[in-house]
Every structure is written in C-alpha cells, then in structure tokens.
Amino acid sequence: MYESLRTLNTIDFKNEFENLRSDAELILSKEGHIISLNSIAEELFNDSRYFFDYFTSYYAEQALYYIKKICDKGLHSGFSLLHRFHNKESYMQYSGALKNGYILLTGREMVAPLPSLELNDLLSQFEHAYAIVSPSLNIEQSNEMFRQYFSEDTKKNCGHKLNIQLLKEGSEGLAVASRLVKDVLEKQTSLQLEVKNDHSGEWLNLKGVYLQDINSVLLMIYDLSYERKYTHLLTYQDQMESVSYLSAGVAHELRNPLSVIKGFLQLSALTDSFDKYSDTILSETERMNEIIDNFLSVARKKAKKETRNPKYLLESVIDIIRSECLMQGIHFHYNVEPVLDKVEVNESSFKQIILNALRNSIEAFPGDNKKNVFTLQSFAEKGYLVIKLRDNGGGIPNDVLTNIGKPFFTTKDKGTGVGIPLCKKIMEEHNGTFAIESKVNEGTVITLAFPLKKNM
C-alpha cells in the first residue's frame, strides 16, 4: 500500500487542488489601480478598482509602504493588511512581486492575529486594567478591571468596540482612549497620557504599547486617584509644617533683638545715659521689623542683599556682642583681620546668625563660672570671609550634634529647634557654609564662610 502511494503525484490531482485554493490574486499598477483579479479576489474587491479604497487611512499608508517596497526590491512577502470589505474587516496575508512594471499580489484571508502565549502569561499576572485593541478599535482581549470602564451601551450590547467611559463625569473617555490607540499604531511606539477629572478627583494614566507581532495595542489603565490624593495630603502636611516652622522661627529670631534692647535699657538705667545707647536700641528695633518682613516675604522672594565692607559689618555686631557679654558677665575677645574685598549679604540676616550663636553660647555656659569666654575671629581665606565663633561652655554630645541641624530638634526645655536650621538656610541663600564643631567640657566652634566679591 505504501509503495503504491509513492507513485502518486500532486499533478494527478491538479483540478482538485485548484478548487481548494483560497488565494486571491491581483495585478496592480504601480499607482494602485486594480488591472486584473482572479475569481477569489473578485468576490472581495468588487466595490472599487482602486486597491487603496479598501483600507482605513492608517492601513492605506501601510499598503502604500509595502507597494513601494515591492517596486524597490522586486519582491516582498509575509506582510498583513487590514481590509474593509462590504462593511466588514478582514486581515489579508500577502506576498508580492514586480513583473514587467506591474505589481503581482497573492493574498489569503486570515483570522485576526492572537497574542503570544508568553504575552498571555505576562498579562495574567498584571494587576491593573488592560485590553488588547486592534487597529479597528475592537477589544480583542481584556481583564475584569478593564471592563469596569466600558460604557453602558457596550455593557448592554456586549459590544467589543473601544467605547469606554474613563471618567464618571464627562464623555471624553472614548475620544482619549481611541486617539491614544491610533497614535500608537501610527507611530508604532509606546505612548502615554494622563486624564483627570477635577470635579470627582479621578486621575488616570493611560499607556499604549505597540505589539508588533499582532499589529495591535496593549492599552493599560492605571488609577492614580488615591496616589494623587495621598500626595496632596502629604503636600498639605508639609505646608502646615512650614507654617509652624515659620511661626516658630519668627518667635525665635525676635528674641535676639529683644534681648539686646532689654540689656541696653538696663545698662542705660544703671549708667543714667540713655542717649548713649538710644541709637543701638533703635537699630535693634529696626532689625526686628526687618526680621518680620523677611519671614513674611519668604514665599515671594529672598531677603534683599547688599554689598558691604566686612569691617563695617563686624564692627556693628561687635558692639552688640560686647554689651550683651558685659550684661551676662562673659569675657569677650575678638580679632578682626583686615579684608580688602567685600561681601554681598542681608545685614539683618548676618547679625541674626552671629547673635543666635552668641545666645546659644550664653545658654550653654555654667551659671556660676566666672571664666566664661566668647570669642569672635575673622579673616579672609580662599576667596571667603571666614568668621569663627568660639565658646568654652559645656560642649555638645555627639548624639545631639548629629541631630542639631534638624528642624524642631532641641534639648532645651523652652527651645523651638529652629535656630540652627534657619542659620543654615540663611547661609545657603548667601552661597556660604555653616559648620559646628564641639567637644564635651571643651566648648563649641561655629564657622561661617561668606564668599568675597573682588573690588572692581
């Protein structure tokens, strides 16, 4: 039996095989006009004699691309196009050749390509809403989470068109999703966009991924509504902390000029010479006003800076330090080296940093120690005006030193924990640096460095 079968040839069944053939054959001009068809193609291409009339605009461009490729190379095979025949859509798998200036095409109807097993395995583990959408906007596959976005008409009629209601209030769902799918197909790349509804608080992220093997789009929907609400709450909390920080900062920084004014008033009463200290008292009152202005304008602009001579700045603050130390029984020493260049600073902020350091030192000194010393030293180094503020107080333990720059961190019973962070912030705004070194029972050194400006 086997031997007898081997003597057969397909030629013996030529007519039968011809009847089984399902290939459509077309002869086209290079411009796309249909010159001739076989009987199978005649059943499909019977509305128009122009090949490109059987496509949507996107696939018409794809068909033109393949025809050009056949003209350039003489042969091309294995490409698929989505046709529109008699109000239905069908995929055709084509091979083409160029002969005597004509395009010869053979094509066979095929079912819509399906996702690969690997893709299906991946999608089965996907937690967000997804759908695979064909170029005709048919939903070929979707999960339960995606189906919650179907419009009411789609649910009632069990339709498969991409007609989804992305937002509970509004009708832009269809247009947005459809447009994204079309753009992905046209550009054959991944695209995404965000859709939000200010009334309901919904916030969705749509992402379309081009699936080259099946010429479709994987449309994914990420619901960002809760994430955005959480972010909004964090932002609100951060704003509230900033307000609290700002309020505490104002209270803290006003203590310094108030303390100076109190000290000078006490000193003028002891010496019966108010006129001698009135200028300094008025100056500190003005500084209080500037501190308030600076804090109120912190959200709008930075504090105004002016070019100043370091000698002038330091002399004005040294007078205040000397008087304060005198009232507190602290020995004050200073050494100011001549500096030719100038600094660009906000004078009120400059004083604020130094007097904050002085106040911290005063609070760190033992109450019964008559050898408490506060020292100010300044000099120019590597393009910076360096100011070292030193005390011989109790020092700062290492565990406290590592946290001392954090907002609201304090070891004082009535402390606010904003003094050092504010000083650091001011130095950042001046493009300078702020550093603290300390040893227990030896004292603390604060080093400030302001950039110098060359005299022109």
Side-chain angles (χ1 to χ4, degrees):
M1 181 70 174
Y2 176 70
E3 289 296 327
S4 65
L5 285 175
R6 288 190 60 186
T7 62
L8 294 177
N9 194 296
T10 55
I11 297 175
D12 299 332
F13 299 96
K14 182 178 180 181
N15 293 332
E16 286 77 3
F17 275 116
E18 282 293 328
N19 292 332
L20 289 173
R21 285 184 61 190
S22 60
D23 287 352
E25 296 178 353
L26 303 90
I27 300 176
L28 309 178
S29 69
K30 290 183 179 180
E31 292 76 26
H33 296 287
I34 300 174
I35 298 172
S36 180
L37 301 166
N38 69 350
S39 60
I40 297 169
E42 192 75 52
E43 294 179 6
L44 299 170
F45 298 88
N46 58 6
D47 290 335
S48 171
R49 285 291 176 175
Y50 188 55
F51 186 64
F52 297 111
D53 283 345
Y54 295 91
F55 300 102
T56 60
S57 58
Y58 169 75
Y59 273 100
E61 293 179 6
Q62 290 291 94
L64 185 63
Y65 167 77
Y66 288 125
I67 295 298
K68 187 176 184 304
K69 208 166 187 179
I70 293 171
C71 291
D72 292 342
K73 296 187 176 181
L75 187 70
H76 190 62
S77 62
F79 59 94
S80 61
L81 296 170
L82 180 66
H83 286 279
R84 182 175 289 168
F85 297 127
H86 313 297
N87 296 322
K88 75 167 186 174
E89 294 178 339
S90 298
Y91 281 95
M92 296 284 288
Q93 182 78 22
Y94 281 105
S95 292
L98 182 67
K99 189 72 174 180
N100 298 330
Y102 297 103
I103 308 296
L104 308 182
L105 289 179
T106 63
R108 178 174 295 183
E109 276 192 277
M110 56 183 292
V111 295
L114 295 175
S116 65
L117 292 176
E118 292 82 359
L119 178 59
N120 279 327
D121 289 341
L122 180 64
L123 292 177
S124 66
Q125 303 174 43
F126 193 65
E127 297 180 354
H128 299 277
Y130 80 85
I132 294 177
V133 186
S134 71
S136 57
L137 300 184
N138 282 325
I139 298 175
E140 306 294 343
Q141 180 179 325
S142 64
N143 64 355
E144 189 62 36
M145 289 190 67
F146 189 89
R147 287 188 279 276
Q148 68 179 315
Y149 296 105
F150 283 173
S151 67
E152 289 303 318
D153 289 340
T154 303
K155 292 177 181 177
K156 290 177 183 177
N157 302 321
C158 299
H160 296 290
K161 281 286 184 183
L162 181 59
N163 185 9
I164 59 176
Q165 194 71 36
L166 288 178
L167 301 177
K168 291 171 185 167
E169 297 177 22
S171 59
E172 61 268 57
L174 171 64
V176 170
S178 301
R179 186 171 67 249
L180 177 65
V181 169
K182 290 176 181 177
D183 288 346
V184 171
L185 286 168
E186 181 180 349
K187 298 176 182 178
Q188 297 189 358
T189 187
S190 297
L191 298 172
Q192 62 180 335
L193 58 86
E194 288 192 351
V195 183
K196 65 177 180 176
N197 188 327
D198 294 330
H199 296 290
S200 65
E202 287 179 286
W203 196 308
L204 306 176
N205 180 272
L206 276 66
K207 185 168 185 178
V209 178
Y210 180 64
L211 304 176
Q212 185 175 7
D213 292 343
I214 58 175
N215 193 48
S216 298
V217 175
L218 174 61
L219 178 63
M220 296 171 283
I221 301 177
Y222 299 87
D223 191 341
L224 305 179
S225 303
Y226 291 107
E227 180 182 331
R228 296 296 180 183
K229 288 177 182 178
Y230 180 67
T231 303
H232 177 73
L233 287 174
L234 287 181
T235 303
Y236 178 76
Q237 182 183 359
D238 183 61
Q239 290 173 339
M240 291 300 98
E241 287 183 357
S242 297
V243 171
S244 176
Y245 182 77
L246 190 67
S247 303
V250 172
H252 180 277
E253 296 311 321
L254 287 178
R255 284 180 179 176
N256 286 329
L258 280 173
S259 177
V260 172
I261 292 171
K262 178 182 178 182
F264 273 89
L265 286 173
Q266 290 174 336
L267 193 61
S268 63
L270 290 173
T271 58
D272 195 24
S273 54
F274 178 79
D275 292 342
K276 182 179 179 181
Y277 304 110
S278 61
D279 289 343
T280 302
I281 292 172
L282 288 173
S283 174
E284 287 305 292
T285 305
E286 183 62 31
R287 191 163 75 85
M288 288 174 64
N289 188 53
E290 285 185 30
I291 288 172
I292 294 171
D293 286 342
N294 288 342
F295 274 100
L296 291 176
S297 65
V298 72
R300 300 190 299 271
K301 60 182 180 179
K302 293 181 180 179
K304 183 180 178 181
K305 291 184 282 188
E306 296 177 334
T307 302
R308 288 282 187 262
N309 186 304
K311 183 175 182 293
Y312 161 79
L313 283 172
L314 290 165
E315 283 180 351
S316 64
V317 80
I318 283 172
D319 286 341
I320 298 173
I321 295 173
R322 183 190 292 113
S323 299
E324 183 72 13
C325 288
L326 179 62
M327 293 296 299
Q328 299 293 336
I330 298 168
H331 301 280
F332 174 55
H333 304 297
Y334 65 93
N335 179 26
V336 178
E337 295 183 7
V339 177
L340 298 177
D341 299 321
K342 294 184 178 181
V343 289
E344 187 177 25
V345 297
N346 174 269
E347 188 172 343
S348 176
S349 298
F350 178 86
K351 290 181 179 180
Q352 184 177 332
I353 297 172
I354 294 177
L355 294 180
N356 186 73
L358 172 63
R359 186 175 184 84
N360 286 338
S361 294
I362 290 171
E363 293 176 354
F365 285 131
D368 56 349
N369 193 340
K370 296 182 179 180
K371 295 183 179 180
N372 295 335
V373 179
F374 184 82
T375 303
L376 182 150
Q377 181 186 11
S378 73
F379 52 90
E381 183 179 79
K382 298 179 180 179
Y384 284 84
L385 171 67
V386 179
I387 301 172
K388 287 186 176 291
L389 306 168
R390 188 189 310 269
D391 68 56
N392 62 345
I396 305 170
N398 286 332
D399 59 329
V400 175
L401 194 61
T402 56
N403 293 293
I404 203 168
K406 296 178 180 178
F408 302 110
F409 175 81
T410 182
T411 57
K412 303 172 186 176
D413 293 338
K414 297 182 179 181
T416 60
V418 299
I420 299 300
L422 279 173
C423 289
K424 287 185 174 182
K425 180 64 176 176
I426 290 170
M427 293 305 297
E428 287 176 9
E429 291 177 353
H430 285 78
N431 298 317
T433 59
F434 181 100
I436 301 179
E437 298 174 72
S438 186
K439 290 184 179 180
V440 177
N441 299 323
E442 291 187 19
T444 302
V445 179
I446 294 177
T447 303
L448 313 175
F450 293 87
L452 288 166
K453 293 184 66 177
K454 293 286 184 183
N455 287 321
M456 304 301 291

